[in-house]
Amino acid sequence: MAEAGAGFLEQLKSCMVCSWTSLWTVWFFFMLFLVYILRVPLKINANLSTVSMFLNTLTPKFYVALTGTSSLISGLILIFEWWYFRKYGTSFIEQVSVSHLRPLLGGVDNNTPSNSNTSNGDADSSRQNVSECKVWRNPLNLFRGAEYNRYTWVTGREPLTYYDMNLSAQDHQTFFTCDTDHMRPADAIMQKAWRERNPQARISAAHEALELNECATAFILLAEEEATTIVEAEKLFKQALKAGEGCYRRSQQLQHHGAQYEAQHRRDTNVLVYIKRRLAMCARKLGRTREAVKMMRDLMKEFPLLSMFNIHENLLEALLELQAYADVQAVLAKYDDISLPKSATICYTAALLKARAVSDKFSPEAASRRGLSTAEMNAVEAIHRAVEFNPHVPKYLLEMKSLILPPEHILKRGDSEAIAYAFFHLQHWKRVEGALNLLHCTWEGTFRMIPYPLEKGHLFYPYPICTETADRELLPSFHEVSVYPKKELPFFILFTAGLCSFTAMLALLTHQFPELMGVFAKAFLSTLFAPLNFVMEKVESILPSSLWHQLTRI
């Protein structure tokens, strides 16, 4: 509570600094505008009669032009501020005020620790943010040739961003290459192929490698990018499996003969695991779900230490398709552990299982009358836990936002992970009677438990602030990225909108009622300069006339 209160006070202080600096900036430029346009004699020895005489010479047309010009300028500022806010998520003028003017007004930089304890806390928070904003390989990613490219052919849209495909290229170079590839001609060609940006050049290089040898990685590339159907991809992966198993057995016998052989064996292990996992995914997509489950279980038993592929998430999805909820619970008991990293699949699958026990008989009206039972309370708490981990998922499950093809990489707790989860698991929520109704009635209650999600969480770490930027890089431009927490309109946009409306109203009134508005304008300017003239009269009465004369000459 103390941390949230301190964060709120810090936000309030920043808002006050932005507001005052913005107001003084507008007032300063308004005074400069008056001095330049009106040529008001603001010398120290100017008197009230001179100002009054000048104001009497102004016509109503001048006030119409002045207020109209002010409305136009403020309108242009409003348009620029709105565009900047929509593109970058912040106000340009407030950002400049906080960055450059706040330190001059005595603001404290949040990044500067006051003592060693603060320094350690900031370091821990920084490490947590880096960990939370790490981009992960999507364990359920689609096939580029058989699925992503078919979408492009039909719609003319690119479902993958350059940033996403570049991350995939880096993954392929990490998993499918090693330092000894130059010793084998086919592997040397594939090492260059994984670095190619042009898809046709990669496919041509894979065919060239296959002319020299039965290369497992060449079959992988063709299955991923050239095959136009899942059936074709499965045939190529079976050929890759035959070649990959031979390479794995040979490198396994030589792995202890040196560091180079050990690196080659590690590469062959990665290739074999990747092939078997993709074959299991092909079986799942072709309707052979039980076969896919067996392949995934065997793979997890054979290579229990390779958790980087997150095969258990593929297994959970396949078991849900079989409606084997007891087996799903057994997998969750192993992987939904406090010491293991969480994901939307883990959290929302746990919530689905608990919701399944009560959702068919759940009624909001009955629950409000008699209260929640123990089972219903457990289900609601599981939903709140899942929503806190990733607040973007419910809108896709409840079909409040349209789905797109999931990217090849996801950001945990981000919009990209929500899309990847809902794309494959929406059907499982629909299959459980009343589950979506329970989610609809309870998911928004999570936000009352975490009023300041960027500063302090409830069951998880505070929500990372970097998700929006990373998701915009991972997701295509035609998708509207979900942002959490919702950003309110900056103060200066509201202020500029009010200023624009006020000056436009003044221009309209001056045009319709010139005499009356002229009287009001003269009275306002006279009142505006009255304090200044009062101060100057007091200064003249206090200072000697000779000294005052010398000051005015200066």
Side-chain angles (χ1 to χ4, degrees):
M1 182 67 72
E3 294 178 3
F8 174 74
L9 291 177
E10 190 64 27
Q11 289 183 350
L12 182 61
K13 182 178 180 181
S14 301
C15 183
M16 291 176 64
V17 170
C18 294
S19 304
W20 281 109
T21 51
S22 303
L23 286 171
W24 280 110
T25 302
V26 173
W27 174 252
F28 175 73
F29 283 108
F30 178 70
M31 293 300 296
L32 287 182
F33 179 76
L34 283 179
V35 172
Y36 179 75
I37 299 297
L38 304 180
R39 299 293 198 271
V40 176
L42 294 180
K43 296 182 180 180
I44 298 178
N45 60 349
N47 52 39
L48 182 60
S49 60
T50 306
V51 176
S52 300
M53 182 178 64
F54 175 77
L55 294 176
N56 290 330
T57 61
L58 298 179
T59 62
K61 292 183 179 180
F62 169 79
Y63 293 107
V64 175
L66 176 63
T67 52
T69 305
S70 301
S71 178
L72 176 62
I73 294 175
S74 56
L76 294 176
I77 296 175
L78 174 62
I79 294 173
F80 172 77
E81 278 286 295
W82 178 255
W83 168 81
Y84 193 88
F85 174 73
R86 293 290 295 175
K87 186 172 183 180
Y88 299 104
T90 184
S91 168
F92 173 77
I93 298 179
E94 288 188 6
Q95 184 180 12
V96 171
S97 301
V98 172
S99 302
H100 301 284
L101 299 180
R102 183 183 175 192
L104 299 178
L105 297 177
V108 180
D109 189 359
N110 292 333
N111 297 327
T112 304
S114 58
N115 50 45
S116 59
N117 294 333
T118 307
S119 178
N120 294 334
D122 289 347
D124 294 340
S125 176
S126 176
R127 284 195 295 269
Q128 180 60 34
N129 285 338
V130 171
S131 175
E132 288 290 342
C133 294
K134 177 183 177 182
V135 176
W136 299 73
R137 182 81 177 178
N138 183 5
L140 295 169
N141 65 308
L142 305 178
F143 292 86
R144 192 174 292 185
E147 292 173 305
Y148 287 120
N149 286 349
R150 290 172 67 89
Y151 176 84
T152 303
W153 298 337
V154 173
T155 65
R157 290 178 169 181
E158 289 290 343
L160 299 176
T161 63
Y162 173 78
Y163 176 71
D164 192 14
M165 292 188 290
N166 186 48
L167 290 176
S168 298
Q170 295 176 17
D171 292 340
H172 295 153
Q173 294 175 46
T174 302
F175 293 145
F176 302 150
T177 63
C178 64
D179 296 335
T180 60
D181 283 346
H182 65 278
M183 302 171 59
R184 297 174 296 277
D187 289 336
I189 294 175
M190 289 307 302
Q191 191 175 41
K192 296 179 181 178
W194 293 120
R195 298 172 182 169
E196 284 286 347
R197 293 186 177 181
N198 187 354
Q200 293 302 322
R202 290 195 296 270
I203 293 173
S204 299
H207 284 292
E208 182 181 352
L210 288 176
E211 292 176 359
L212 301 176
N213 190 10
E214 292 290 314
C215 182
T217 54
F219 283 119
I220 290 176
L221 192 148
L222 295 178
E224 291 285 352
E225 301 193 19
E226 188 181 41
T228 57
T229 63
I230 301 298
V231 175
E232 293 178 14
E234 186 181 32
K235 291 180 180 178
L236 289 170
F237 273 120
K238 288 181 178 179
Q239 293 177 275
L241 178 62
K242 182 178 179 182
E245 285 179 337
C247 293
Y248 176 76
R249 285 192 295 268
R250 288 192 296 269
S251 63
Q252 189 177 26
Q253 298 173 356
L254 302 174
Q255 61 176 319
H256 301 296
H257 292 189
Q260 291 184 344
Y261 293 102
E262 184 179 356
Q264 183 177 345
H265 176 66
R266 190 182 308 113
R267 191 278 307 270
D268 292 338
T269 302
N270 292 335
V271 170
L272 185 61
V273 172
Y274 185 89
I275 293 172
K276 289 186 175 182
R277 173 174 163 270
R278 292 304 255 178
L279 278 172
M281 294 179 67
C282 288
R284 166 69 184 90
K285 292 176 183 291
L286 294 174
R288 306 195 307 270
T289 309
R290 295 188 181 279
E291 178 185 345
V293 169
K294 183 179 183 304
M295 295 173 67
M296 293 174 191
R297 289 187 184 277
D298 294 341
L299 186 58
M300 293 170 66
K301 290 180 181 179
E302 186 178 1
F303 303 97
L305 299 180
L306 289 181
S307 59
M308 68 187 76
F309 292 103
N310 291 325
I311 305 173
H312 61 277
E313 296 195 9
N314 299 80
L315 179 60
L316 284 173
E317 195 278 327
L319 290 174
L320 287 172
E321 177 64 21
L322 293 175
Q323 301 185 40
Y325 296 111
D327 294 334
V328 173
Q329 185 62 55
V331 175
L332 286 178
K334 180 178 180 180
Y335 289 97
D336 192 5
D337 187 80
I338 191 173
S339 61
L340 298 177
K342 299 293 181 293
S343 66
T345 301
I346 294 292
C347 295
Y348 278 90
T349 302
L352 176 60
L353 291 187
K354 292 188 177 181
R356 175 176 169 268
V358 298
S359 60
D360 56 337
K361 300 178 182 178
F362 178 79
S363 172
E365 295 78 10
S368 62
R369 289 195 305 267
R370 58 174 172 79
L372 295 176
S373 64
T374 302
E376 290 173 340
M377 184 64 70
N378 292 336
V380 171
E381 289 177 353
I383 290 176
H384 286 176
R385 171 178 178 261
V387 174
E388 181 182 353
F389 182 82
N390 194 317
H392 309 282
V393 172
K395 289 187 177 180
Y396 294 106
L397 292 180
L398 299 173
E399 299 182 271
M400 299 167 64
K401 287 196 68 176
S402 58
L403 276 171
I404 61 172
L405 294 185
E408 293 182 339
H409 290 81
I410 59 174
L411 181 68
K412 287 192 175 182
R413 308 187 73 177
D415 191 31
S416 52
E417 184 191 33
I419 292 172
Y421 173 79
F423 186 85
F424 294 98
H425 288 262
L426 175 59
Q427 57 180 333
H428 306 316
W429 280 82
K430 288 183 175 181
R431 188 178 294 121
V432 176
E433 183 182 358
L436 290 177
N437 178 48
L438 180 61
L439 177 67
H440 174 72
C441 296
T442 57
W443 74 279
E444 291 182 334
T446 309
F447 306 127
R448 292 192 291 269
M449 303 167 58
I450 42 176
Y452 303 104
L454 299 179
E455 299 171 10
K456 189 175 182 180
H458 180 61
L459 299 173
F460 298 99
Y461 286 101
Y463 191 79
I465 60 176
C466 58
T467 56
E468 180 184 358
T469 303
D471 279 332
R472 291 188 187 278
E473 295 288 339
L474 289 172
L475 298 174
S477 58
F478 58 82
H479 173 71
E480 184 180 355
V481 176
S482 177
V483 179
Y484 174 78
K486 277 293 183 182
K487 295 183 178 179
E488 298 180 356
L489 285 178
F491 160 79
F492 208 84
I493 289 184
L494 301 175
F495 174 76
T496 311
L499 183 63
C500 177
S501 303
F502 177 71
T503 51
M505 182 183 65
L506 286 181
L508 180 62
L509 292 175
T510 306
H511 183 266
Q512 295 294 329
F513 311 101
E515 292 81 7
L516 183 59
M517 293 303 296
V519 173
F520 280 124
K522 293 172 184 177
F524 172 74
L525 292 177
S526 300
T527 306
L528 185 65
F529 288 108
L532 178 61
N533 285 275
F534 177 77
V535 172
M536 299 313 303
E537 289 177 359
K538 291 296 183 182
V539 172
E540 288 180 359
S541 62
I542 295 174
L543 294 178
S545 58
S546 59
L547 177 60
W548 183 251
H549 180 67
Q550 293 296 330
L551 289 176
T552 54
R553 291 184 62 183
I554 294 175

